[in-house]
Amino acid sequence: DHSQTVYSFTYTPNGNKFLYVDGFSPNSIRMVDLEGQYYRFEPHVSGLREIVLSSSGTKIVYQTRYGLLIADTETAFGENFWESKPRS
């Protein structure tokens, strides 16, 4: 939806959505469904460079300019986060 650089592209565990670090706003992550609707969320870390999902999708590892951080997706974003409906 813009011409900014996309970093660290990865699919969600169910393969219906993907995540990436938004080059336009480098402290945010976008989760996009296959129709192009998205969520933008900020994991409260600065200098976000890369994200990696665990194979189960229950953990996200963030690479930041300060080092690696790990978040439990159910605790940080809610139990049904991966099934949430994106907004356009």
Side-chain angles (χ1 to χ4, degrees), residues 2-16:
H2 52 71
S3 61
Q4 298 298 319
T5 305
V6 170
Y7 301 99
S8 190
F9 175 89
T10 187
Y11 280 95
T12 57
N14 64 11
N16 294 331

Side-chain angles (χ1 to χ4, degrees), residues 27-87:
N27 290 329
S28 70
I29 297 171
R30 286 191 185 231
M31 180 173 69
V32 183
D33 71 13
L34 299 179
E35 283 97 38
Q37 296 183 335
Y38 69 89
Y39 276 117
R40 180 176 158 200
F41 58 99
E42 298 185 19
H44 305 294
V45 295
S46 60
L48 188 60
R49 296 181 178 160
E50 187 173 355
I51 53 173
V52 178
L53 293 173
S54 65
S55 59
S56 64
T58 58
K59 304 280 189 274
I60 298 179
V61 177
Y62 303 98
Q63 179 188 7
T64 72
R65 63 180 168 195
Y66 302 109
L68 295 176
L69 301 172
I70 300 173
D72 180 291
T73 57
E74 293 177 355
T75 303
F77 304 118
E79 201 171 314
N80 297 318
F81 177 72
W82 297 122
E83 301 309 316
S84 301
K85 297 224 181 268
R87 60 182 175 246

